[in-house]
Amino acid sequence: MKILSIQSAVAYGHVGNSAAVFPLQRIGVEVLPVYTVNFSNHTGYGSWGGPMISPDDVAAVISGIEARGAFPDIDVILSGYQGGEGIADVILDAVARVKAANPSAVYACDPVMGNAKSGCFVAPAIPVLLRERVVPAADIITPNQFELGFLTGTEPADLESTLASADLARAMGPRTVLVTSVERPDRPEGTIEMLAVTDAGAWIVQTPHIPMKANGSGDVTAALFTAHYRATGDAATALAKTTSSVYDLLRMTYESGQRELQLVEAQEFYAHPAEQFAVTQVR
């Protein structure tokens, strides 16, 4: 499998491609990383160095990959945080060109906008752009529960409303929706869930909630779920493997006392996920 991953990069820590690439490589996926920024660290620190890469320069890198004849072999285009409006045009153009070269290729979009605790943390134009142009072009999207609500104009809370919101998102274009960080009011205390919804059904998985903010964990989740789902065609299997790997990554990070993901230290959990959490079909 080959994935063209168009995301940010940092030298210190793990977000964007700096979070997604290594876990994908560790499970045997060939990744073609294209960077949209090249920062010293993620912006959550409040200060950083390095450039945002212009859309023209990002497009030039993608065109160079195309010139090498790589597009027919690309199975997935993956994108995450979009720092500016211009990058969406570059991503959508790359999706169209890859799919022209390989009609079986899929586009997986992590529509990063914010979360329930922080609200939206992207430029005001980005959520509208994602909703109106980017998400409709995607085959797979991986929003958290807050982002799902923004995309669909709903307030998903319990299982039924979250399923209904996922169906509204699927009506926009993508056939597969992975809802991360699902927090139902009636869930057992100290737990958190993920929900996958496809044409074939819907599945949910519950894990203990690890009380930490982990920048980059969503990028790892989107990458692993997309790769496992593409490899197996089975959302339940992809959900089980991804949940196991990400939980153990977060557990190891929490136990380390470090702020940044222990991405390299947790590598065996990507290659050999324990699948210790039950996946339940809910539709």
Side-chain angles (χ1 to χ4, degrees):
M1 185 189 308
K2 289 187 178 181
I3 295 181
L4 176 67
S5 183
I6 309 170
Q7 301 196 58
S8 59
V10 295
Y12 178 86
H14 302 288
V15 299
N17 268 334
S18 301
V21 171
F22 178 66
L24 288 172
Q25 291 172 330
R26 193 64 181 81
I27 64 171
V29 174
E30 181 75 27
V31 188
L32 288 69
V34 175
Y35 302 147
T36 56
V37 308
N38 188 16
F39 287 167
S40 57
N41 50 269
H42 68 71
T43 59
Y45 285 97
S47 64
W48 62 92
M52 180 176 288
I53 300 172
S54 75
D56 287 346
D57 286 338
V58 176
V61 172
I62 294 170
S63 293
I65 295 170
E66 182 179 28
R68 301 286 73 77
F71 279 12
D73 296 324
I74 291 174
D75 302 289
V76 177
I77 309 97
L78 175 65
S79 72
Y81 170 74
Q82 298 187 22
E85 297 176 58
I87 198 65
D89 291 326
V90 175
I91 292 169
L92 292 173
D93 180 64
V95 169
R97 286 154 62 188
V98 168
K99 287 191 170 188
N102 178 12
S104 68
V106 299
Y107 171 36
C109 169
D110 185 7
V112 178
M113 290 181 275
N115 56 61
K117 293 181 177 64
S118 305
C120 273
F121 50 64
V122 297
I126 298 299
V128 177
L129 181 65
L130 287 168
R131 184 176 63 232
E132 295 182 356
R133 295 191 56 216
V134 180
V135 166
D139 300 287
I140 301 168
I141 60 170
T142 58
N144 61 36
Q145 198 172 18
F146 171 85
E147 291 161 343
L148 176 66
F150 198 98
L151 287 172
T152 58
T154 61
E155 295 184 4
D158 59 11
L159 179 58
E160 289 307 312
S161 62
T162 304
L163 283 168
S165 296
D167 286 339
L168 287 173
R170 293 173 66 243
M172 297 167 66
R175 303 313 306 158
T176 298
V177 177
L178 175 69
V179 190
T180 64
S181 303
V182 175
E183 298 185 68
R184 293 189 286 161
D186 57 343
R187 74 191 187 281
E189 186 176 355
T191 64
I192 195 165
E193 295 167 313
M194 284 204 291
L195 173 71
V197 186
T198 75
D199 289 339
W203 296 265
I204 198 164
V205 61
Q206 184 178 97
T207 73
H209 179 248
I210 298 174
M212 64 174 292
K213 181 180 179 181
N215 295 90
S217 59
D219 302 317
V220 177
T221 300
L224 288 177
F225 178 81
T226 297
H228 287 310
Y229 186 46
R230 178 65 172 175
T232 65
D234 187 320
T237 297
L239 187 60
K241 290 179 180 294
T242 301
T243 301
S244 175
S245 298
V246 174
Y247 175 81
D248 280 330
L249 165 63
L250 291 175
R251 177 184 54 78
M252 177 174 278
T253 301
Y254 181 68
E255 291 171 354
S256 76
Q258 299 297 307
R259 176 172 178 173
E260 295 290 345
L261 291 176
Q262 300 300 288
L263 195 80
V264 175
E265 292 82 352
Q267 62 181 283
E268 287 304 310
F269 299 127
Y270 323 137
H272 306 289
E275 298 187 50
Q276 67 271 49
F277 303 109
V279 174
T280 303
Q281 187 164 7
V282 292
R283 194 172 68 192

